[in-house]
Amino acid sequence: MRLPHITKPRRHLLTLASVAAIAPLSAQVSAETITVATVNNADMVVMQSLTSEFEKAHPDITLDWVVLEENVLRQRLTTDVATQGGQFDVMTIGTYEVPIWAKHGWLTKLDNLPDDYQVDDLIKPVRDGLSLTEGENQGLYALPFYGESSMLYYRKDLFEKAGIEMPEQPTWTQVNDWAAKLNSADEGVYGICLRGKPGWGENMAVLGTMVNSFGGRWFNEEWEPQLDSPAWSEAINFYVDMMGKYGPPGATSNGFNENLALFSSGKCGMWVDATSAAGKLYNPKESSVADKLGFAPAPIAKTEKGSHWLWSWALAIPESSKSKDAAQTFITWATSQEYVNLVGEREGWASIPPGTRVSTYENQSYKDAAPFAGFVMDAITSADPTDPTLEPVPYVGVQMVTIPEFQSIGTQVGQMIAAALAGQMSVEQALSSAQRSTERTMRQSGY
């Protein structure tokens, strides 16, 4: 921007009005930049696409995005927060990390949110999962961007063609039988798609709930690993056998996003995964099966306990951030009712970030666009992280164990099971190795 030409005799007469005209440029130049690290899931891609909306409403703040695949994001953020590296002002983390990191003093407590944010509108199990509920530092440490449980998606047209009727509560045995009938690899349709990509938040999210429903648990009440138990063996053998017969090739490369792409393009007869996928699958702009989609509760085996998970992707501010006020301005905007309405109007109501606010599920526009809304709300509110297994356990968490060691343990176990799925070792070998490595980790950690 060039200043207006001023002739030499009057150059000393720069007035306050002239300075005022230049002020907006100065403000723009001095805008505070905050770095936001997030996962490459569809809802976060929408959030990034609305950067201009946020910056227009908050011209003193500029957003710098770091968008990563889930496993890479977790590694980067864990390293940064543990070393107080200060690379990020906003971190996208979840129900696992928040209470652990908050206890370490790594996250900023969100105890001065504006009244119009309406904290009480946040769904209670989701809010509680992002809080410390005991001790002197009780409070909220992250704001939920979206919340989820898990469910079974299926192709109604394929079910009808095969003469299959979906019961109120499907079992894993039924799912296996249906997958056999639906599988038509020659036509590019696989009976079932499940996560195979290793990671505590990837394949082990689905497998954790499967093991729960088969009557298994990660640890007994003495914190002794149970990975070589009959329940684990039965569940993982079932998974490997079913996926080997009726799943897509190369399944060990498929996580949430890859399976979402497969199902939405018509290549899967069934898919058990996050309820957060429902909005994308029901959106005809993004899904070729939007008009053929059916849904049901996540399958069970011996018990319903722990058969569907509870998770929230949330936005938190690390203590190492030097721009906490600007970061809080952003996370309150991105998790507000205002943001939900913005996405509903821009992207369609079925595509809003789900599972965080009671008001979302009272919104008639959302209920009209999302036939799954009430079902998802019930799944989220009925998941019980404090009582997730048939036999008693010393830990909290449905598809995870909320102890610091679990990030390493869950990923190691996920890698071994992925090796079994790929045919590189037997399930018994994988679980035996997983048992030994977990025992070693727990012993070194003083359990």
Side-chain angles (χ1 to χ4, degrees):
M1 177 178 177
R2 296 179 61 188
L3 295 177
H5 176 71
I6 303 174
T7 58
K8 286 184 179 180
R10 300 186 60 188
R11 187 170 292 165
H12 66 285
L13 296 178
L14 269 173
T15 63
L16 287 176
S18 304
V19 175
I22 302 169
L25 175 62
S26 303
Q28 187 177 6
V29 170
S30 62
E32 190 170 11
T33 298
I34 60 171
T35 302
V36 182
T38 196
V39 67
N40 63 341
N41 291 353
D43 288 288
M44 285 71 169
V45 173
V46 171
M47 174 172 60
Q48 186 185 12
S49 75
L50 295 172
T51 295
S52 60
E53 292 293 325
F54 173 79
E55 292 179 346
K56 184 167 62 177
H58 305 88
D60 56 334
I61 302 173
T62 299
L63 303 180
D64 179 32
W65 292 90
V66 176
V67 183
L68 301 167
E69 185 269 332
E70 185 170 324
N71 288 338
V72 177
L73 175 78
R74 287 187 165 124
Q75 187 176 21
R76 284 276 301 274
L77 296 189
T78 301
T79 300
D80 187 73
V81 77
T83 60
Q84 297 291 290
Q87 292 182 54
F88 309 106
D89 302 295
V90 174
M91 292 181 164
T92 304
I93 56 178
T95 310
Y96 168 73
E97 293 95 347
V98 172
I100 295 172
W101 292 6
K103 285 178 184 176
H104 279 85
W106 294 344
L107 300 179
T108 302
K109 188 176 179 180
L110 303 172
D111 52 3
N112 61 339
L113 297 171
D115 291 341
D116 61 3
Y117 182 74
Q118 300 183 42
V119 173
D120 291 341
D121 186 43
L122 299 177
I123 296 171
K124 190 176 187 303
V126 175
R127 186 176 75 231
D128 288 348
L130 303 175
S131 305
L132 290 183
T133 56
E134 298 178 350
E136 60 182 20
N137 294 319
Q138 291 182 43
L140 187 62
Y141 285 84
L143 302 181
F145 182 67
Y146 72 76
E148 64 183 34
S149 184
S150 53
M151 62 197 289
L152 167 62
Y153 302 99
Y154 66 97
R155 289 269 303 274
K156 291 193 293 185
D157 59 327
L158 298 182
F159 265 57
E160 185 177 350
K161 183 180 178 181
I164 304 169
E165 187 172 335
M166 176 63 71
E168 188 172 331
Q169 174 59 72
T171 68
W172 278 112
T173 300
Q174 289 173 321
V175 166
N176 182 72
D177 293 342
W178 298 335
K181 294 179 179 179
L182 301 175
N183 194 61
S184 183
D186 292 342
E187 299 176 18
V189 177
Y190 305 99
I192 187 163
C193 294
L194 294 174
R195 299 187 194 187
K197 180 185 289 186
W200 70 264
E202 280 284 9
N203 62 345
M204 294 316 300
V206 173
L207 292 175
T209 58
M210 183 183 286
V211 167
N212 291 343
S213 77
F214 274 78
R217 52 186 175 168
W218 280 92
F219 302 96
N220 65 16
E221 291 181 280
E222 284 72 47
W223 287 103
E224 295 169 337
Q226 302 294 294
L227 301 167
D228 58 357
S229 66
W232 270 85
S233 178
E234 186 179 0
I236 303 307
N237 270 297
F238 179 91
Y239 162 79
V240 168
D241 182 68
M242 181 173 63
M243 288 292 286
K245 291 177 179 176
Y246 316 123
T252 55
S253 298
N254 296 341
F256 171 78
N257 284 324
E258 292 80 9
N259 281 316
L260 174 60
L262 283 170
F263 193 94
S264 62
S265 61
K267 298 189 184 327
C268 306
M270 292 178 289
W271 179 34
V272 180
D273 213 298
T275 57
S276 58
K280 306 304 174 190
L281 294 178
Y282 268 97
N283 186 342
K285 295 178 182 177
E286 301 184 43
S287 170
S288 67
V289 297
D291 60 342
K292 306 176 182 69
L293 185 61
F295 58 86
I300 64 171
K302 294 177 180 176
T303 178
E304 292 185 19
K305 275 193 170 186
S307 61
H308 56 285
W309 70 62
L310 178 65
W311 178 257
S312 171
W313 277 116
L315 303 178
I317 304 169
E319 268 296 302
S320 55
S321 170
K322 295 179 174 59
S323 301
K324 292 187 176 68
D325 289 344
Q328 181 166 310
T329 297
F330 172 71
I331 69 172
T332 53
W333 173 82
T335 61
S336 65
Q337 288 186 35
E338 172 195 359
Y339 179 86
V340 170
N341 292 334
L342 175 63
V343 176
E345 292 163 4
R346 289 286 190 90
E347 304 291 325
W349 281 98
S351 297
I352 66 170
T356 61
R357 289 187 170 272
V358 175
S359 57
T360 295
Y361 294 85
E362 295 172 345
N363 185 316
Q364 194 60 49
S365 295
Y366 183 60
K367 290 193 285 187
D368 290 344
F372 50 84
F375 175 91
V376 170
M377 183 67 156
D378 289 343
I380 290 173
T381 55
S382 64
D384 188 355
T386 66
D387 186 22
T389 53
L390 192 59
E391 297 182 272
V393 292
Y395 56 83
V396 173
V398 181
Q399 80 284 17
M400 59 191 178
V401 180
T402 48
I403 59 173
E405 295 78 13
F406 183 72
Q407 184 165 345
S408 171
I409 290 170
T411 296
Q412 285 182 334
V413 174
Q415 289 168 343
M416 292 167 190
I417 293 176
L421 180 59
Q424 297 168 359
M425 64 174 70
S426 69
V427 169
E428 287 66 33
Q429 289 172 324
L431 292 180
S432 177
S433 295
Q435 175 75 11
R436 290 196 303 273
S437 68
T438 305
E439 286 175 344
R440 184 166 55 251
T441 299
M442 296 300 281
R443 188 167 56 248
Q444 291 170 346
S445 298
Y447 283 87

